Amino acid sequence: MAGYIAHRLLWSIPTLIVITIATFVIIQLPPGDYVTAYIAELVETGEVIDAETAAHIRHEFGLDRPMYEQFLTWIGGILLHGDFGLSLDWKLPVSELIWDRIGLTLMISVLSLLMTWAIAIPIGVYSATRQYSFFDHLFTVLGFLGRGIPDFLLALVLMWMGFLYFNFHVGGLFSPEFENAPWSIAKFVDLLSHLWVPVLVLSTGGAAGLLRIMRANMLEELGKPYVETAYAQGLSERQVVWRYPVRVALNPFISTVGWALPALISGDVITAVVLNLPTTGPLLLRSLQNQDMYLAGGFILILSVFTIIGTLLSDILLVLTDPRIRHS
Amino acid sequence: MQDETILEINDLNICFEMREGTVNAVNGVTFSVKPGEVLGIVGESGSGKSLSARSIMNLLPRNATVTNGSVKFRKNDGEVVDILAEKRESRKMRELRGGHIGMIFQEPMTALSPVHSIGKQIMTTLNLHTDLSKKAQVERAADLLAMVQMPKPMEMLKKYPHQLSGGMRQRAMIAMALSCNPSLLLADEPTTALDVTTEAQILDLIMSLQDELNMAVIFITHNFGVVAEIADRVSVMYLGNAVETASVDDIFYHPKHPYTRALLQSIPRLDGQKRRRLQTIEGMVPDPFNLPTGCVFHTRCAEKMAGKCTSQIPELTHFENDQMARCHLHQA
């Protein structure tokens, strides 16, 4: 087991090197750079910058140097000093920008992930054990609806309804008066009253898809002979269902739980933009639009590290839960 | 219920309502089992033998309906349980399953849980039906594995089904079914999925355990050779009917039903005349959605009597030595 983990960790090093290089190249691939995007923005407001000034800014940011030199400076800073560079757009250190938002992002993501599972697993099990019953059909319809309605549309509808009928302040995670206030009980309550919309929106789509998978897995497992054996041992239906088939049917979930880790950070960008959430998703989107390469690069580096750790974690979990994998 | 029997199935009828129509899978099956007796049930696929066994456990498929008949089981303490009158999930039913009636299945590959160790699965049964301590359960489980002649029982407890061979899995399955000393063991084609060498070993094992524990066994198979080896009495099934039930000697030497006779003649024999073609039964098994009228076997019967067999369902005729057959040939 320890050897297996060490082996996997060792292999993740070349993977990470390749990913960082690819990331850096891809961010630079579109024509122009941050300065071009910056000038275009200024032109819109009526300001004009001459070529000399542009070249000066480029030199300042080191954008006139060859790509490999820029890459080495960037990656060297990260490895040697833990310095992710400066966001060209925000004029702030990248790490500060990301860490600022990561707490709330994690909270929303973890909550909606737990909510997704809390909805999907019991309903999936119920639908499979009572196949073709009234509620199974009902959940099927709801499931397809939840899957079919885009998250951002649901977000818009909920915001509109909240505003119209409940007089909520919608969008964002805090009311204006708490936006910059220090943490207090009142601020926390305010946060909770805002939190349910994004959590609901983010969990419905996922839960709808997941419950179909759970139902299909369960139906397959329930037909297997070992279920009959379990009944013949004298177990009750509830014991049989939850001890045996559910455990086997959860395997595909466990093998994909690793993907949830990077998704926690990148989140549902469109929904976050619509709901004006102070999470990392919109920040990543904006950095890509503006060719804010150090911020974007930093993000993608963190996401890849999370992906690798997540995959490793789910592989380990799977080995722990399924003896068939452990011994082969 | 007669005093000396442990199990009585009387005129059992089971049907499936399906989109294509109704399938009458079991039609008036009647048989009984005495304590310590081995009853072999022989029949081809779809003859209703497995379904009859599952009705004893009250574990019929959910789309199956019992339209008539009863299944009665006598517990060790003398209490008679009317199994089909119980709810599938009732406490009494769950107490019978695994506690008083053990069952072993055809596919040892898939009939054990893939995610629990052998020991854990045996201890689940012990936990449900006994009040042994954890430590005593482990010891009992190891004893059981030793009883089914598995090597190194203590180590075997920790093994998972995929780590064992088919024969070993079936031994574990038997250990599990016998863990609470059931008075009746249902064996649903337990050796069909095994190779012949392993089959012989498993049959020997079941025989010796049956002798040792003095339990009744219902052994379902489609192999007459197996029946001859282990059964005291035999019930022959065809299309949901128990067409003939008799002691193993009477079945082989004095078969009363034409189907039994035809089956016996279609078994290749080592001592038979050489250069003779093996006899076969004419025709095919009829479509279950569209059963023949009268005697279900008349479409393939060599001794069919025109008029009578095609229109009237034969009654059960009783002969001496508890032999019974459903055939017009023996009715006045």
Side-chain angles (χ1 to χ4, degrees):
Chain A
M1 190 71 187
Y4 171 75
I5 296 173
H7 176 84
R8 290 288 307 266
L9 281 175
L10 220 58
W11 263 105
S12 58
I13 295 173
T15 318
L16 271 177
I17 294 175
V18 173
I19 291 176
T20 45
I21 295 174
T23 313
F24 207 78
V25 171
I26 290 170
I27 292 173
Q28 300 235 3
L29 271 185
D33 53 21
Y34 168 68
V35 176
T36 341
Y38 179 60
I39 293 173
E41 212 172 283
L42 286 182
V43 166
E44 257 175 45
T45 59
E47 266 185 79
V48 181
I49 283 180
D50 56 57
E52 207 174 301
T53 324
H56 183 71
I57 303 175
R58 273 206 179 91
H59 182 73
E60 197 99 307
F61 288 146
L63 294 177
D64 53 348
R65 286 186 286 164
M67 201 200 285
Y68 70 90
E69 240 184 85
Q70 294 183 38
F71 174 73
L72 288 178
T73 324
W74 177 64
I75 203 79
I78 295 175
L79 288 178
L80 301 176
H81 316 290
D83 175 14
F84 282 80
L86 204 68
S87 161
L88 304 175
D89 194 17
W90 295 73
K91 313 283 186 297
L92 282 169
V94 167
S95 43
E96 198 173 301
L97 276 171
I98 295 180
W99 289 120
D100 235 20
R101 292 173 165 237
I102 222 157
L104 282 175
T105 310
L106 278 178
M107 182 168 77
I108 292 185
S109 308
V110 169
L111 274 181
S112 43
L113 184 71
L114 291 179
M115 184 86 151
T116 307
W117 286 29
I119 299 174
I121 293 172
I123 295 183
V125 171
Y126 176 87
S127 276
T129 47
R130 299 279 178 273
Q131 196 188 6
Y132 303 138
S133 67
F134 170 75
F135 280 105
D136 176 32
H137 286 302
L138 182 71
F139 287 132
T140 302
V141 171
L142 289 179
F144 281 124
L145 274 179
R147 196 82 197 122
I149 298 173
D151 281 356
F152 69 87
L153 185 67
L154 191 62
L156 282 175
V157 171
L158 279 178
M159 275 164 72
W160 175 71
M161 278 179 21
F163 181 72
L164 202 63
Y165 296 109
F166 303 105
N167 203 17
F168 275 137
H169 169 265
V170 283
L173 281 179
F174 302 103
S175 306
E177 62 267 31
F178 289 108
E179 194 87 52
N180 293 311
W183 279 102
S184 63
I185 293 179
K187 184 173 179 177
F188 186 68
V189 172
D190 183 60
L191 173 66
L192 287 185
S193 74
H194 284 82
L195 206 55
W196 67 272
V197 177
V199 169
L200 192 66
V201 169
L202 290 175
S203 47
T204 44
L210 224 53
L211 92 85
R212 298 304 299 171
I213 298 175
M214 191 66 198
R215 180 178 181 271
N217 286 350
M218 279 300 290
L219 281 177
E220 192 187 327
E221 290 304 322
L222 282 172
K224 298 233 171 115
Y226 70 82
V227 175
E228 200 177 21
T229 309
Y231 276 119
Q233 283 177 285
L235 292 161
S236 69
E237 182 181 355
R238 199 160 38 116
Q239 289 169 320
V240 170
V241 168
W242 287 97
R243 274 194 213 178
Y244 297 78
V246 168
R247 254 198 77 174
V248 185
L250 279 179
N251 274 355
F253 287 80
I254 295 169
S255 59
T256 54
V257 72
W259 304 345
L261 213 50
L264 289 182
I265 307 301
S266 67
D268 197 324
V269 177
I270 301 176
T271 312
V273 171
V274 168
L275 287 172
N276 190 24
L277 301 177
T279 54
T280 46
L283 193 65
L284 172 62
L285 182 66
R286 193 177 144 85
S287 71
L288 290 171
Q289 282 169 338
N290 289 338
Q291 300 204 10
D292 188 352
M293 51 190 236
Y294 294 122
L295 184 55
F299 255 122
I300 293 174
L301 186 62
I302 291 178
L303 287 182
S304 0
V305 171
F306 272 50
T307 309
I308 290 172
I309 296 176
T311 315
L312 180 63
L313 268 184
S314 58
D315 284 357
I316 293 172
L317 275 178
L318 207 56
V319 166
L320 288 179
T321 53
D322 195 334
R324 287 170 295 183
I325 295 171
R326 197 180 313 157
H327 299 285
S328 59
Chain B
M1 189 166 176
Q2 286 175 319
D3 281 345
E4 69 272 29
T5 58
I6 181 170
L7 179 84
E8 261 183 39
I9 297 187
N10 210 341
D11 198 22
L12 183 67
N13 283 269
I14 301 171
C15 71
F16 290 93
E17 295 291 344
M18 291 166 89
R19 208 175 302 173
E20 299 89 337
T22 306
V23 178
N24 292 304
V26 173
N27 303 303
V29 165
T30 300
F31 60 74
S32 61
V33 184
K34 296 189 184 76
E37 178 183 63
V38 180
L39 173 74
I41 300 184
V42 215
E44 31 201 315
S45 309
S47 60
K49 49 193 197 308
S50 286
L51 215 52
S52 305
R54 273 160 188 68
S55 72
I56 300 171
M57 283 295 223
N58 201 345
L59 282 178
L60 292 169
R62 290 188 196 275
N63 55 346
T65 333
V66 176
T67 49
N68 191 27
S70 67
V71 176
K72 287 185 178 142
F73 176 77
R74 188 193 308 278
K75 295 203 301 191
N76 279 343
D77 59 11
E79 186 194 344
V80 175
V81 184
D82 187 353
I83 286 176
L84 294 179
E86 291 289 330
K87 285 212 170 65
R88 182 190 170 99
E89 276 282 287
S90 78
R91 181 177 295 272
K92 201 172 250 174
M93 224 31 255
R94 282 186 277 134
E95 187 195 308
L96 285 188
R97 291 186 202 125
H100 298 261
I101 308 176
M103 186 155 184
I104 50 182
F105 295 88
Q106 177 175 356
E107 285 286 339
M109 305 292 169
T110 51
L112 291 166
S113 163
V115 292
H116 297 91
S117 66
I118 301 294
K120 169 93 185 147
Q121 297 189 48
I122 294 177
M123 277 152 69
T124 301
T125 315
L126 291 172
N127 212 3
L128 283 168
H129 303 288
T130 64
D131 34 61
L132 294 175
S133 68
K134 192 92 191 158
K135 195 162 156 276
Q137 285 182 18
V138 176
E139 279 166 17
R140 169 81 178 137
D143 285 349
L144 283 161
L145 291 187
M147 188 176 82
V148 295
Q149 294 156 23
M150 283 175 89
K152 299 182 192 153
M154 268 310 194
E155 282 169 44
M156 282 292 172
L157 288 178
K158 296 189 196 81
K159 298 265 187 190
Y160 288 88
H162 67 272
Q163 296 171 291
L164 304 176
S165 66
M168 282 298 158
R169 285 181 214 185
Q170 198 57 289
R171 283 170 199 269
M173 185 89 227
I174 294 171
M176 201 159 105
L178 298 185
S179 56
C180 299
N181 290 323
S183 49
L184 175 65
L185 176 70
L186 304 176
D188 188 1
E189 306 206 30
T191 57
T192 306
L194 305 174
D195 63 77
V196 277
T197 323
T198 319
E199 174 172 30
Q201 290 168 356
I202 295 289
L203 285 178
D204 278 349
L205 178 69
I206 294 178
M207 288 290 284
S208 68
L209 289 174
Q210 188 268 332
D211 206 35
E212 197 180 312
L213 306 172
N214 194 32
M215 62 186 171
V217 177
I218 295 183
F219 197 101
I220 297 170
T221 176
H222 52 245
N223 187 339
F224 250 119
V226 171
V227 161
E229 198 172 329
I230 82 163
D232 300 319
R233 288 199 314 131
V234 182
S235 204
V236 180
M237 290 195 64
Y238 180 76
L239 273 182
N241 289 266
V243 292
E244 180 165 5
T245 305
S247 73
V248 69
D249 288 341
D250 285 337
I251 283 283
F252 280 92
Y253 298 111
H254 314 287
K256 295 283 193 264
H257 198 282
Y259 179 61
T260 316
R261 277 179 251 178
L263 273 184
L264 289 168
Q265 276 161 11
S266 56
I267 300 172
R269 295 169 65 106
L270 285 176
D271 58 350
Q273 295 149 303
K274 294 203 176 88
R275 295 174 183 279
R276 225 189 93 225
R277 285 186 72 103
L278 195 62
Q279 295 238 348
T280 54
I281 304 178
E282 288 288 312
M284 298 285 287
V285 179
D287 175 18
F289 288 106
N290 205 355
L291 290 180
T293 53
C295 172
V296 283
F297 188 58
H298 84 253
T299 51
R300 307 170 72 187
C301 185
E303 299 164 67
K304 176 176 77 179
M305 296 177 287
K308 202 169 189 182
C309 294
T310 51
S311 62
Q312 292 171 30
I313 296 174
E315 291 293 318
L316 207 54
T317 316
H318 291 265
F319 303 88
E320 59 183 15
N321 201 8
D322 268 350
Q323 185 167 13
M324 24 184 200
R326 250 181 216 282
C327 183
H328 285 302
L329 285 174
H330 306 289
Q331 280 169 1

